[in-house]
């Protein structure tokens, strides 16, 4: 059997986040068919950010307790409101790049 990858450690490089925002803004501002294609490229480029956002969710579930039950609830809500949930997960992945939420959750409390 192959070992399970450590998904919680997935990290997107900084240049990728910048490229994603560049393509996203270009897709939003470019009219016509080219804008449609560029917007779809931005959607495809959001997959690593979704995975990084899910890594933050899994780290938070492990850190704050009730891990399995909170993940079941999270994925249940995500399935019901998939569109807005994916946008929020991508935003969480981008926020993770700048704020290092997983590193802060792993640090011991000083008090």
């Amino acid at each position: 059997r192959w070992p399970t990858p450590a998904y919680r450690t997935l990290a997107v490089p900084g240049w990728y986040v910048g490229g994603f925002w560049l393509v996203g803004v270009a897709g939003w501002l470019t009219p016509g068919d080219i804008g449609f294609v560029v917007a779809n490229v931005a959607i495809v480029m959001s997959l690593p950010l979704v995975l990084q956002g899910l890594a933050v969710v899994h780290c938070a579930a492990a850190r704050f307790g009730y891990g399995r039950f909170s993940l079941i609830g999270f994925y249940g809500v995500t399935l019901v409101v998939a569109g807005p949930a994916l946008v929020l997960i991508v935003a969480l992945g981008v926020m993770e790049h700048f704020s290092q939420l997983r590193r802060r959750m792993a640090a011991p409390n000083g008090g």
Side-chain angles (χ1 to χ4, degrees):
R1 290 183 56 168
W2 292 73
T4 302
Y7 293 114
R8 289 185 190 171
T9 61
L10 181 112
V12 176
W15 62 265
Y16 192 87
V17 174
F20 169 73
W21 281 106
L22 182 68
V23 170
V25 169
W28 182 49
L29 295 177
T30 307
D33 291 340
I34 295 173
F36 178 75
V37 170
V38 174
N40 282 301
V41 168
I43 291 170
V44 171
M45 285 183 69
S46 71
L47 178 62
L49 295 169
V50 167
L51 295 175
Q52 184 166 312
L54 290 176
V56 173
V57 169
H58 279 254
C59 285
R63 169 81 164 98
F64 298 117
Y66 303 109
R68 192 172 302 233
F69 295 114
S70 60
L71 288 176
I72 289 170
F74 170 77
Y75 282 112
V77 170
T78 300
L79 287 174
V80 171
V81 289
L86 286 175
V87 170
L88 291 175
I89 293 170
V90 168
L92 183 61
V94 171
M95 281 179 19
E96 160 64 20
H97 174 71
F98 294 107
S99 63
Q100 304 294 316
L101 294 169
R102 289 181 287 176
R103 185 177 49 114
R104 290 181 184 187
M105 283 187 268
N109 292 335

